[in-house]
Amino acid sequence: MPPRPSTFSIAARDPETDAVGVAVQSKFVGVGAVVPFVSADAGAVATQSFANVAYGPDGLDLLREGRAPAEAIDRLTAADDEAPSRQVGVVGVDPDDEPAAFTGDECHDHAGDRQGDHYTVQGNILENADTLDAMAEAFEETDGGLPERLIAALHAGNEAGGDKRGEQSAALYVAKPEGGYDGKNDRWVDVRVDDHERPIDELERVFKIYDVTLLEREAPDETRELSGETAVAVQSALADLGFYDGEPSAEFGDDAREALESFRGMNNFENHSLAVLEDAVSRGWAAADGDGDPETRLVDAIWHGLSRLDRA
């Protein structure tokens, strides 16, 4: 028998942005290659617990045909002799269709699922039922876009108990019409951590870089310039990274902006002008966490500073 990934996941949609996605963590290598299946014209499927990966494309096809999530699951499991060992969660793009899930009788404890407005959470080989409750609560109560809410659900589930066997991999896959690179497909957010001691933390770190680099934000009404202690700290960080060779001061002058521009170009942050980037660093520096690494601190500051702006 193939290995059973002990897994918890959430499939959800955001009717305001037409985004739909899956976030998942598992004591299983490369869970992003197995569990999440997402399409902006259909919905999201999370297939796990002795996963039948055919549930992904077949489930999306059923949703495209107009089947509700519960009916799609009935059709998938009825044709599968090993359905009692399976678990699957399904969310459609139609906001009138209620999310649904199936947890087979032979899934290993603790196994279960929960549904709410626009989402379903499911897990198997969990430490406790609190894992699912915490995921649902975090998704409902977290502010921000769909990616942030999905990541928050993973964190909450892990902190409440999580996977009984531990942590190994995590993934976040969100589709949105024309949300992909240069608007040429629907792959809006697609990040994975295949093997890591703290995969959800690492997933969030990678997502922030992905967000700053590839996702667009609405233009701010006004921008701030760096000054004071924050200007000194940012110049010091740019100096540590080899972009700035001046003496850090409370004034963020032309040489410092040239250094920030070089940092912007090196990291492919072309979606944001230099003025917007400086504004973001100014607003986000105090909240940023870099664990002593200047590049991580700068990226985290940019992400925090941009978070006040709606994504385009």
Side-chain angles (χ1 to χ4, degrees):
M1 180 181 291
R4 294 173 182 253
S6 47
T7 304
F8 54 93
S9 69
I10 176 168
R13 66 180 170 235
D14 180 358
E16 293 186 3
T17 63
D18 295 326
V20 62
V22 173
V24 57
Q25 196 282 150
S26 183
K27 181 63 175 73
F28 188 81
V29 69
V31 71
V34 177
V35 170
F37 293 83
V38 186
S39 179
D41 68 350
V45 177
T47 175
Q48 57 199 51
S49 181
F50 192 27
N52 182 343
V53 294
Y55 282 8
D58 292 349
L60 293 175
D61 283 344
L62 289 166
L63 293 172
R64 289 190 189 96
E65 292 173 5
R67 312 292 182 184
E71 183 181 359
I73 288 174
D74 287 344
R75 287 174 174 261
L76 292 171
T77 55
D80 184 0
D81 292 339
E82 296 178 291
S85 297
R86 318 283 197 198
Q87 189 173 49
V88 60
V90 179
V91 173
V93 293
D94 187 341
D96 293 330
D97 285 342
E98 294 185 0
F102 169 82
T103 299
D105 293 339
E106 296 177 14
C107 291
H108 289 186
D109 288 339
H110 176 75
D113 54 79
R114 307 277 189 277
Q115 288 76 50
D117 290 342
H118 307 302
Y119 73 89
T120 175
V121 297
Q122 44 280 323
N124 63 90
I125 319 184
L126 300 178
E127 190 68 37
N128 50 44
D130 294 342
T131 297
L132 299 173
D133 295 332
M135 292 177 70
E137 182 177 354
F139 182 78
E140 292 176 1
E141 296 184 355
T142 299
D143 294 328
L146 185 60
E148 286 90 347
R149 298 174 71 195
L150 292 173
I151 291 174
L154 290 188
H155 276 304
N158 200 46
E159 291 166 5
D163 191 321
K164 185 179 293 185
R165 297 193 300 183
E167 305 176 59
Q168 186 169 5
S169 66
L172 174 66
Y173 186 9
V174 184
K176 178 182 173 182
E178 299 181 355
Y181 185 76
D182 199 27
K184 297 298 192 294
N185 62 22
D186 68 356
R187 192 185 297 266
W188 191 41
V189 179
D190 186 4
V191 290
R192 288 170 43 178
V193 175
D194 288 341
D195 186 29
H196 198 276
E197 291 182 357
R198 297 183 303 279
I200 302 173
D201 290 341
E202 180 66 4
L203 183 74
E204 183 172 26
R205 186 191 70 81
V206 175
F207 164 69
K208 288 179 177 179
I209 299 172
Y210 184 104
D211 188 9
V212 171
T213 307
L214 295 175
L215 305 188
E216 297 184 14
R217 301 269 181 171
E218 299 288 349
D221 293 332
E222 60 180 6
T223 57
R224 294 179 183 173
E225 294 184 351
L226 281 159
S227 62
E229 293 181 0
T230 302
V232 174
V234 171
Q235 289 169 80
S236 296
L238 291 168
D240 289 342
L241 293 171
F243 292 103
Y244 183 66
D245 58 7
E247 184 68 28
S249 71
E251 180 182 352
F252 203 77
D254 291 342
D255 289 348
R257 287 193 177 88
E258 186 175 325
L260 185 60
E261 172 66 13
S262 296
F263 178 80
R264 170 178 171 267
M266 182 68 71
N267 287 280
N268 301 299
F269 295 158
E270 285 88 356
N271 278 344
H272 316 289
S273 69
L274 179 60
V276 169
L277 207 69
E278 182 177 347
D279 172 80
V281 175
S282 175
R283 296 176 187 271
W285 186 259
D289 181 10
D291 290 329
D293 178 65
E295 183 167 358
T296 300
R297 178 87 187 259
L298 278 166
V299 173
D300 204 46
I302 294 167
W303 186 85
H304 278 286
L306 291 173
S307 292
R308 70 187 178 93
L309 305 172
D310 291 334
R311 292 190 177 96

